[in-house]
Amino acid sequence: MSLLSQFSRMSPNLVTASIVLGIIAGIFQASIIPLTLLSIDVVFNSDSLNMTSVFDVEISHIKHATLFLSVMGVILVFGTLSQVILSTISINLTSSLRNDLIKKASKSPLQNFEKVGQDRIFTGIVNDIDDVVAGASQIPTIVKHVISVLGLLLYLAFINIDILIYVLILFCIGFFTIMVPTIISNKYFTDSRNMYDSFQSGVKGLLDGTKELKLSEYKREYYIENRILKQEKSSARNDKIGFVYGKIAHAIGDLIGFMAIGAISFVMINYREIDYKEVLSAVMVIIYTTGPLGALISQIPTISIARIALDKLNTLYDDIQEEKFEREIEIGNIESLKFKNVEFSYSNSPESFKIGPLSFEVSKGELIFVVGGNGSGKSTLSKVITHHYLPTSGQIFVNDEKVDELNILSIRERISSIYTNFHLFTEMLGEYNKDKVHEYLSDLGLQNKVKFENGQFSTIDLSDGQKKRLALLVALMNDSDIYLLDEWAADQDPEFKDVFYRKILKDMKNAGKLVIVITHDDHYFDLADRFLIMKDGLMSQLDNDGDNLKSSMALLGAKFKKMDV
């Protein structure tokens, strides 16, 4: 996708109008020199002064003066209109590109989203889109300057075709001379942009890990120096070098016109018969041409950065996949969830971690505990249960209906989850019962910490345990059929662990919810209806038959009979 196509897809008619207005402004701008030379010739070679008084100001040859003023007026009006249209399109395009990228990222499967990485997506939304729009917005202006240069060169052909040929040869030499530093400049800009993702990741790590880094001055300084400042310095150095070469190209561009003037004045006149008037006219044309040429060359860094950003955006768009699900089938209240030979693998590589095949069935009103050691597959299983990860093989059934692209969106609406890396929003999204919110704030010991008014929480600047309690409150307001809680009680005081296991989970079970809890809290194992035990990606089941379940480690070491569903 090219820079111009970005604008064209947004408002093709307005882009065309802007370019046409720019072309007209360029044509009239190119006519300034011949009109000036004609006016000077008329003024100095006319036998009559032909004076006209306008507001007590004497003006000679009023017709030529009026024409000159009209041409400047056209340049002003048409050029301004072109830029106003461009500004409007630029604002709309920036908003449109951001909206498209945000929506595409939000529709990305979780596994793909994690693979692409938040840093790349954030940089694309915040930086690359602005760079692309900045470059694309210069294209109509560039067209205007190109038209001005072409118009002036045509007039130069009218003056003396030999001079035109000579100037074109010099311009071509100058162009290829400019391309050398320009290519070098682009390379450094590309390297700088590639380093920016690492810099962004380093800054995110600093913000997320502030508490950990503050405990060690050595680690903090090492991290800042090697993961942030080193990348920032390298990026800044490449930007500086890129702009140096860009400025060299610009300086050469500024001198091309004067080199042509010098060549005509000191060399060409020795080989061609050119009169003084032709040389003077050619010099004026070339001097005037340096303005548009300089403007064109000055846009090289902006266009280069925009092209690099566009390449990054195009790659990002290609890497972000979209879930092509249609909400055509609505699932009623979820009564049961069934896995049949379900497998999930992070990649096709044989070395990639996978879970399964898994076969089990759970029903509403059950309290299920998922236990297992680190790396056993508990978290992966949880994301398959909530349909964030889709099985690589096997089938999932809800209410004996196979989960597919037609009903998965409806099923997700009936699931709530709190993962270990959950995010807490400042507002209550969706419907809620205000009285229930205040009741849960009291039950969870947050009534003196958080106020709830007009759908907003007064603060989320809380301890980790308090944040999890507030996240649980939000999940309870969803009134979902399935709840997946991943190590929710890990950060809680004994008091709130007891409230969670013996009151809230009991209330959810009695309300007919299917509650799946990933936990190691063996003190509360007596509350579970069943256990799903994960080990090396495989699952076993244990029913709570009232035996003394002392600890999760004992539970893991026991011999379990695999479920046969």
Side-chain angles (χ1 to χ4, degrees):
M1 189 179 293
S2 66
L3 290 175
L4 184 57
S5 66
Q6 293 288 340
F7 264 51
S8 298
R9 78 175 183 86
M10 186 70 198
S11 300
N13 294 332
L14 287 177
V15 170
T16 302
S18 176
I19 292 176
V20 169
L21 289 171
I23 289 173
I24 294 173
I27 292 172
F28 277 85
Q29 188 168 315
S31 70
I32 285 287
I33 288 298
L35 182 59
T36 300
L37 292 172
L38 175 63
S39 300
I40 291 173
D41 185 64
V42 169
V43 170
F44 284 94
N45 293 311
S46 175
D47 294 333
S48 172
L49 292 177
N50 192 13
M51 303 293 289
T52 303
S53 178
V54 178
F55 298 112
D56 294 329
V57 177
E58 297 294 333
I59 301 175
S60 63
H61 298 277
I62 188 66
K63 291 182 180 179
H64 288 85
T66 302
L67 179 60
F68 187 87
L69 184 62
S70 299
V71 168
M72 289 194 297
V74 169
I75 295 172
L76 174 64
V77 172
F78 281 48
T80 302
L81 284 175
S82 177
Q83 292 301 313
V84 168
I85 292 173
L86 278 178
S87 298
T88 302
I89 299 174
S90 296
I91 294 171
N92 293 338
L93 178 61
T94 302
S95 177
S96 175
L97 288 174
R98 283 210 175 102
N99 290 342
D100 290 346
L101 185 53
I102 289 170
K103 289 179 180 178
K104 185 166 188 178
S106 70
K107 294 179 181 178
S108 171
L110 180 61
Q111 187 181 0
N112 174 249
F113 183 88
E114 293 169 342
K115 181 179 179 181
V116 173
Q118 294 184 31
D119 298 330
R120 282 184 63 196
I121 296 173
F122 184 81
T123 302
I125 293 171
V126 175
N127 297 99
D128 289 337
I129 288 175
D130 282 340
D131 289 340
V132 169
V133 173
S137 64
Q138 297 303 315
I139 291 176
T141 304
I142 290 172
V143 170
K144 183 187 81 170
H145 291 317
V146 169
I147 294 298
S148 296
V149 172
L150 292 177
L152 289 166
L153 292 177
L154 285 175
Y155 179 66
L156 199 57
F158 173 76
I159 296 172
N160 189 305
I161 191 67
D162 291 334
I163 295 178
L164 173 64
I165 294 172
Y166 209 72
V167 168
L168 286 176
I169 292 173
L170 290 170
F171 278 6
C172 287
I173 294 173
F175 173 77
F176 286 110
T177 304
I178 289 170
M179 287 308 297
V180 173
T182 298
I183 292 172
I184 297 174
S185 174
N186 288 346
K187 177 185 179 301
Y188 280 101
F189 284 139
T190 302
D191 291 343
S192 173
R193 176 56 186 80
N194 289 335
M195 292 174 183
Y196 193 80
D197 287 337
S198 298
F199 169 76
Q200 186 98 6
S201 176
V203 172
K204 185 175 183 297
L206 174 66
L207 299 177
D208 292 342
T210 297
K211 295 188 295 294
E212 291 77 7
L213 292 175
K214 280 187 176 297
L215 295 176
S216 171
E217 183 179 3
Y218 168 77
K219 291 180 180 179
R220 182 177 69 251
E221 294 301 323
Y222 177 87
Y223 182 86
I224 292 174
E225 182 63 34
N226 290 275
R227 289 300 311 278
I228 300 178
L229 297 184
K230 184 177 179 180
Q231 307 299 328
E232 195 276 334
K233 288 176 183 176
S234 296
S235 178
R237 184 185 68 248
N238 283 318
D239 276 337
K240 289 175 184 177
I241 296 174
F243 276 109
V244 166
Y245 280 100
K247 293 303 180 182
I248 290 173
H250 185 266
I252 294 172
D254 284 342
L255 292 175
I256 288 176
F258 296 108
M259 290 170 62
I261 292 172
I264 293 171
S265 303
F266 300 110
V267 179
M268 187 178 177
I269 58 174
N270 298 320
Y271 296 93
R272 294 287 189 275
E273 291 186 4
I274 309 174
D275 62 31
Y276 172 78
K277 184 176 180 181
E278 288 177 339
V279 172
L280 181 61
S281 298
V283 168
M284 288 191 64
V285 169
I286 295 171
I287 290 175
Y288 194 73
T289 305
T290 57
L293 273 178
L296 287 173
I297 295 169
S298 68
Q299 295 302 326
I300 290 177
T302 302
I303 296 298
S304 298
I305 292 172
R307 182 187 59 77
I308 294 167
L310 183 60
D311 289 342
K312 288 286 185 180
L313 273 181
N314 286 336
T315 302
L316 181 60
Y317 270 96
D318 291 340
D319 289 345
I320 296 178
Q321 302 168 7
E322 283 190 71
E323 294 178 327
K324 304 296 183 181
F325 298 147
E326 298 292 337
R327 190 165 178 168
E328 296 186 9
I329 298 177
E330 291 292 333
I331 294 292
N333 294 333
I334 296 179
E335 304 289 334
S336 64
L337 176 70
K338 179 179 178 180
F339 277 40
K340 186 173 183 180
N341 297 320
V342 169
E343 294 186 32
F344 174 82
S345 177
Y346 284 95
S347 73
N348 295 325
S349 171
E351 293 78 22
S352 176
F353 179 78
K354 78 167 191 173
I355 61 171
L358 307 177
S359 295
F360 66 92
E361 183 173 3
V362 290
S363 304
K364 62 178 292 188
E366 282 193 292
L367 178 57
I368 308 295
F369 281 7
V370 179
V371 296
N374 292 332
S376 61
K378 304 187 303 297
S379 295
T380 303
L381 170 65
S382 69
K383 292 173 183 175
V384 177
I385 289 175
T386 57
H387 304 295
H388 284 107
Y389 289 171
L390 304 183
T392 50
S393 66
Q395 297 176 330
I396 300 177
F397 297 86
V398 168
N399 299 345
D400 295 325
E401 296 287 335
K402 181 182 175 182
V403 177
D404 57 27
E405 65 274 8
L406 299 181
N407 59 21
I408 190 171
L409 295 180
S410 174
I411 293 170
R412 284 178 177 172
E413 291 279 359
R414 297 184 174 275
I415 300 174
S416 290
S417 62
I418 302 178
Y419 293 108
T420 53
N421 58 341
F422 69 96
H423 178 80
L424 189 60
F425 295 95
T426 58
E427 59 184 314
M428 187 76 75
L429 303 176
E431 298 180 358
Y432 60 89
N433 183 310
K434 187 176 180 180
D435 293 334
K436 274 288 184 184
V437 171
H438 290 292
E439 179 183 335
Y440 279 122
L441 283 174
S442 178
D443 290 343
L444 295 169
L446 296 172
Q447 70 276 17
N448 296 324
K449 295 284 186 178
V450 182
K451 303 300 179 185
F452 182 75
E453 295 180 358
N454 301 319
Q456 298 274 344
F457 296 113
S458 59
T459 182
I460 57 172
D461 185 17
L462 306 166
S463 69
D464 291 341
Q466 290 168 340
K467 284 183 178 179
K468 274 194 174 180
R469 282 181 252 157
L470 195 57
L472 179 61
L473 182 156
V474 174
L476 291 171
M477 287 299 101
N478 294 334
D479 193 26
S480 300
D481 295 333
I482 297 177
Y483 283 88
L484 189 291
L485 307 174
D486 188 354
E487 300 285 2
W488 183 90
D491 301 316
Q492 303 302 322
D493 296 331
E495 173 190 355
F496 292 109
K497 279 190 178 184
D498 209 61
V499 170
F500 172 66
Y501 282 105
R502 301 201 180 278
K503 182 180 187 304
I504 294 178
L505 291 185
K506 183 180 179 181
D507 290 346
M508 294 169 72
K509 172 182 166 65
N510 292 337
K513 308 299 181 182
L514 170 53
V515 187
I516 302 172
V517 181
I518 299 176
T519 179
H520 288 104
D521 290 328
D522 49 281
H523 290 91
Y524 299 97
F525 278 4
D526 61 295
L527 300 175
D529 295 310
R530 272 192 288 159
F531 297 89
L532 301 180
I533 304 96
M534 296 296 298
K535 185 176 183 180
D536 298 328
L538 298 176
M539 176 187 290
S540 296
Q541 170 191 262
L542 179 69
D543 291 330
N544 190 349
D545 57 5
D547 291 341
N548 185 24
L549 302 170
K550 292 184 178 180
S551 70
S552 59
M553 293 307 296
L555 206 142
L556 287 170
K559 293 182 179 180
F560 300 114
K561 181 180 179 181
K562 289 187 178 180
M563 297 183 64
D564 184 15
V565 178

